[in-house]
Amino acid sequence: MKHFKYKSLEDLSHDAGSIGASQVQFDSDPAAVTRVLSQPVDVAGFRVGNSMAIHPMEGCDGRLDGAPDELTWRRYERFGRGGAKLIWFEATAVREDGRANSRQLWLHSKTQSEFARLLDATRRAHREEWTRDDDLLIPMQLTHSGRYSFPNRVIAYHNPNIDATTKTPSDQPVISDGELERLEDDYVATAKLAHKVGFRAFDVKVTHGYLLAELMGARDESLLAAQGTPQSRYRGSIENRSRFASNVLRKLRAEFGSDVLLGMRLGCFDSVPYRKNPETSIGEPIPYTTPYRHGFGVDPTDPLQEDIADVLRAIGFFRDAGLQFLNVSLACPYYNPHIGRPFESPDDGNYEQPEHPLLGVDRHFRIAGALQRSFPDLPMVGTGYSWLQAYAANAAAHNLASGAIRFFGYGRGALAYPDFARAILEHGTLEERRVCKTLTYCTYLMRQKNHPLGQFPTGCPPFDKEGYGHIMKEARTIQRATPPKA
């Protein structure tokens, strides 16, 4: 279903107002857009050169040993030259068995030198285009993929709705407290290698349904006990659920002192899993009961709506543990992608939007704005802009000027348009012919596993044909020749 049909900012703004997306507002003046988004941002004493960020966009294009490969190098060279002053380095596994796919980046002693070269090349490319890089922030995102680990999943608790969606056996053991405590030290060990490489900022990834995000949803102690989950320091109360990430932040601070900045990408609303209606192809929530006893940031009486009380408490704990900047994220791309990334077309075989994408954008802006205003001294990166296409910068300028966020974060859009920041700095507008149209080709490639290395690399075939046109063609050809699974 086509939703984005707007020929002017006025048309888009009118529709936003008419359907109740009241948080989606715009600054129409290109000079003001440039002025607002070119402003530097102070992150715990580090002056980031402008207010534009590139989200941690995984390319699924590393080598089997976890080192960056040719397309990884190409992507970061383009990001470095693009002009954004916050380049959030993609999810990097802290252990081999915590990788989400066979080509996810994994930093260890044998890949360390390649990461050093990649970081240096990114900074060099940025200096060549923008004269300096002492105001460029590149945090490394540290991750364990948990339930989505390849090849063996690790679960934090049993949510029967997610178990059904992911075909997880009800008797699969959950990760123990002892294993979690040891994993905390794996995060620190990987950060020590990254620090030797040259990284001076870290993100403890707590989003997208991965292990740390799933821990945040393990909230009902009586239900956990009924499932046979032992009493745990990491599950139940919000203090317990925040413990792992808080411990890692404290351990990183103890290890590095003030020599590093500590950040987090936090999934602030889980909602429930969705599935494709076989008759309409529209997404619908799988059956659930209320009060809903799972998830993070959800209203137990209506889990399709957010309740950020626990989110606010958790951010307070994280800040006390050393958190200095935050990237606000929503939902899980594996089972409710329309919430995390409002789209125009679903990836192959997935459901159609169950709501107007403007309502999804509004949800992003509403939650991020409430969090940023609650913690005005904690710089936050906003999400949910790509569906707005050429008008994303106008919305970002309004949000920054109103105090609803501190950084304009661009994800899929940066794959299509890696130098979007240059266009904003020079013209205050984005070129319509270059912006992401949220057709989810990038997600399609990410989901394709019939590759000699077990994973197709992902990028933007429509707007980066040189890099990904032939890859898309190969993936389609193999998919058509592969018999469907029984």
Side-chain angles (χ1 to χ4, degrees), residues 40 44 60 148 163 175 216 235 339 348 424 441 451:
C60 303
Y148 301 99
D163 284 359
I175 188 170
M216 297 303 298
R235 302 168 183 89
I339 297 174
D348 191 54
I424 291 169
Y441 290 112
H451 186 276

Side-chain angles (χ1 to χ4, degrees), residues 30 80 157 239 291 304 329 349 367 381 392 435 440:
Y157 78 110
E239 292 88 349
L304 305 184
S329 178
I367 293 174
V381 182
V435 294
T440 60

Side-chain angles (χ1 to χ4, degrees), residues 80-401:
R81 294 189 185 280
K85 288 291 185 176
L86 173 50
I87 302 175
W88 206 295
F89 195 85
E90 68 191 84
T92 302
V94 300
R95 288 183 1 187
E96 183 175 17
D97 60 1
R99 299 168 84 183
N101 60 73
S102 59
R103 300 183 70 180
Q104 184 174 47
L105 298 186
W106 167 38
L107 174 59
H108 53 93
S109 60
K110 294 181 180 179
T111 61
Q112 185 177 350
S113 62
E114 291 299 292
F115 278 87
R117 291 178 56 228
L118 178 59
L119 179 62
D120 180 68
T122 304
R123 289 193 167 278
R124 184 171 62 251
H126 190 83
R127 287 195 304 273
E128 290 173 355
E129 291 292 325
W130 302 97
T131 307
R132 56 186 293 191
D133 71 334
D134 59 332
D135 59 351
L136 173 65
L137 183 61
I138 308 180
M140 171 178 276
Q141 185 175 72
L142 304 172
T143 191
H144 187 292
S145 296
R147 187 181 291 265
Y148 301 99
S149 294
F150 168 86
N152 299 313
R153 65 186 65 178
V154 176
I155 63 171
Y157 78 110
H158 282 285
N159 178 333
N161 303 283
I162 300 174
D163 284 359
T165 302
T166 57
K167 296 181 173 57
T168 302
S170 61
D171 60 351
Q172 178 169 329
V174 302
I175 188 170
S176 70
D177 280 12
E179 292 172 298
L180 287 167
E181 193 167 351
R182 289 188 290 275
L183 183 59
E184 291 174 4
D185 294 330
D186 290 331
Y187 275 73
V188 177
T190 302
K192 288 169 69 174
L193 289 176
H195 189 264
K196 290 179 182 178
V197 161
F199 286 93
R200 292 297 180 267
F202 299 105
D203 158 25
V204 180
K205 184 177 185 179
V206 191
T207 190
H208 291 166
Y210 298 124
L211 183 61
L212 275 60
E214 192 163 87
L215 280 172
M216 297 303 298
R219 67 186 190 185
D220 192 308
E221 292 178 279
S222 62
L223 178 63
L224 294 169
Q227 293 172 343
T229 302
Q231 191 170 11
S232 171
R233 300 188 307 276
Y234 295 95
R235 302 168 183 89
S237 69
I238 187 59
E239 292 88 349
N240 282 357
R241 288 180 278 140
S242 304
R243 189 180 308 280
F244 187 100
S246 294
N247 283 354
V248 172
L249 290 169
R250 288 192 178 93
K251 289 179 178 182
L252 291 174
R253 181 61 69 216
E255 178 67 36
F256 300 114
S258 61
D259 194 40
V260 301
L261 297 173
L262 298 180
M264 178 181 292
R265 193 166 201 213
L266 180 64
C268 299
F269 171 54
D270 290 345
S271 190
V272 301
Y274 277 65
R275 64 186 179 190
K276 183 178 181 178
N277 183 301
E279 296 181 0
T280 67
S281 296
I282 295 173
E284 59 184 18
I286 69 172
Y288 61 86
T289 59
T290 56
Y292 192 70
R293 303 166 74 184
H294 319 281
F296 182 55
V298 299
D299 181 346
T301 65
D302 181 2
L304 305 184
Q305 303 299 322
E306 74 270 13
D307 178 347
I308 63 169
D310 272 357
V311 180
L312 291 169
R313 293 187 66 196
I315 293 173
F317 295 139
F318 298 145
R319 190 177 60 171
D320 290 345
L323 183 70
Q324 294 167 305
F325 60 107
L326 182 73
N327 189 314
V328 180
S329 178
L330 305 181
C332 176
Y334 296 97
Y335 57 72
N336 49 24
H338 73 281
I339 297 174
R341 47 172 188 251
F343 54 77
E344 191 68 5
S345 298
D347 58 291
D348 191 54
N350 216 329
Y351 60 76
E352 295 283 351
Q353 275 272 9
E355 64 184 4
H356 194 293
L358 273 171
L359 295 175
V361 175
D362 184 83
R363 183 186 295 112
H364 270 286
F365 291 179
R366 179 175 70 244
I367 293 174
L371 298 177
Q372 182 67 89
R373 291 189 175 99
S374 297
F375 294 93
D377 297 327
L378 182 67
M380 298 188 188
V381 182
T383 307
Y385 290 92
S386 288
W387 185 82
L388 298 173
Q389 298 190 24
Y391 308 115
N394 303 91
H398 177 272
N399 287 345
L400 267 70

